[in-house]
Amino acid sequence: FPLICALVARQMRGLRTPALPIAIGTAAFALLSSVVRVTRDGGVSDGGWLSGLSETLAEMGFSIKPVLVILNFREGGGGDTGFVSLVAVPLRFVASVLGSPVVGPDLRLFNVKMMTLAGPVGGSPVAEGLDALGITGVILMAVAVALLVAVPYRQAVKGRLPAAYFLAVFVPALATVRNSMAPLLVQIALGMVL
C-alpha cells in the first residue's frame, strides 16, 4: 500500500515511473511475500521459497471471504447494523469517559464481528456496507469511499490542496481494502495533523 501511494505521489508531482521498475518491484514483492508466507507457515518445504507464491496470490484476492461471511450471517437471521461500525470507536471513547466502558467483545466494531464470526479473515468496505444496510449499504459505502478519495485528489491536482493532505486520506483509505473502516476517520485526522 505505501508503494502504491508513493507512485501516486510521484504522478501528482509530474514524475513518470517507467513500467519496467514497476514490473520488477511487483515481482520482487510477490517473491518476498512468498518467503514471508513460507517462513510463517513453518519453513521451506519441497517447493522451496516459491512454494508460498500461489497461496500469497490467492490471499490477495481474499477480500471476498468477509462478504461471504456477512452473507451467511444475514441468511442466518442477522440484521442491518446501520453503519454503527463507522461511529463505534467514538462511541466507545465517550462511554469510557463517562465511566461505562464496553466490557467483552464489541460487535459494533466490524473487525471484532468478523473475528467472532469467522476468525482472522480481515474485512472489506463491501462486506462492511453489506453488514450495515444490505445492497444499499454496499452502494453507499462505494460512493462514500469514492468521494473520500476523489475530492481531495481533485483538489490536490488543481493546486487547491497540498498533495500531502490527499495522501493523508489515500493511505488509510487504501488500507481499508482488507480491514475495517472503524479507524479510518481517526487515521485521516492524524495524517492531516502530521
Side-chain angles (χ1 to χ4, degrees):
F1 294 140
L3 290 176
I4 291 170
C5 294
L7 288 173
V8 170
R10 284 180 53 82
Q11 179 68 29
M12 291 176 76
R13 293 181 61 209
L15 302 172
R16 303 279 182 204
T17 305
L20 184 60
I22 292 174
I24 291 170
T26 301
F29 171 76
L31 293 173
L32 180 61
S33 296
S34 177
V35 169
V36 169
R37 182 178 254 320
V38 167
T39 304
R40 186 177 61 194
D41 290 345
V44 181
S45 63
D46 294 338
W49 289 109
L50 297 178
S51 64
L53 190 56
S54 61
E55 288 109 6
T56 298
L57 294 173
E59 188 173 333
M60 289 182 199
F62 204 55
S63 292
I64 195 70
K65 178 65 175 181
V67 173
L68 295 174
V69 169
I70 294 301
L71 283 172
N72 288 335
F73 175 73
R74 292 175 68 83
E75 286 176 5
D80 294 341
T81 61
F83 289 108
V84 71
S85 62
L86 300 180
V87 295
V89 172
L91 291 175
R92 287 171 56 93
F93 175 73
V94 169
S96 172
V97 169
L98 296 176
S100 58
V102 177
V103 177
D106 188 351
L107 297 180
R108 297 177 300 177
L109 295 166
F110 189 71
N111 61 321
V112 174
K113 185 174 195 171
M114 291 306 300
M115 183 66 83
T116 303
L117 293 174
V121 297
S124 77
V126 173
E128 200 160 349
L130 185 65
D131 188 48
L133 289 174
I135 191 67
T136 302
V138 173
I139 294 167
L140 290 173
M141 187 69 84
V143 169
V145 170
L147 289 173
L148 180 70
V149 172
V151 170
Y153 176 78
R154 189 172 178 93
Q155 296 301 313
V157 168
K158 289 183 174 185
R160 297 183 190 145
L161 184 73
Y165 287 108
F166 162 69
L167 292 171
V169 172
F170 188 54
V171 172
L174 189 59
T176 63
V177 169
R178 288 285 289 125
N179 296 300
S180 168
M181 299 284 284
L184 183 63
L185 296 178
V186 173
Q187 291 170 342
I188 289 172
L190 288 173
M192 293 293 182
V193 169
L194 292 173

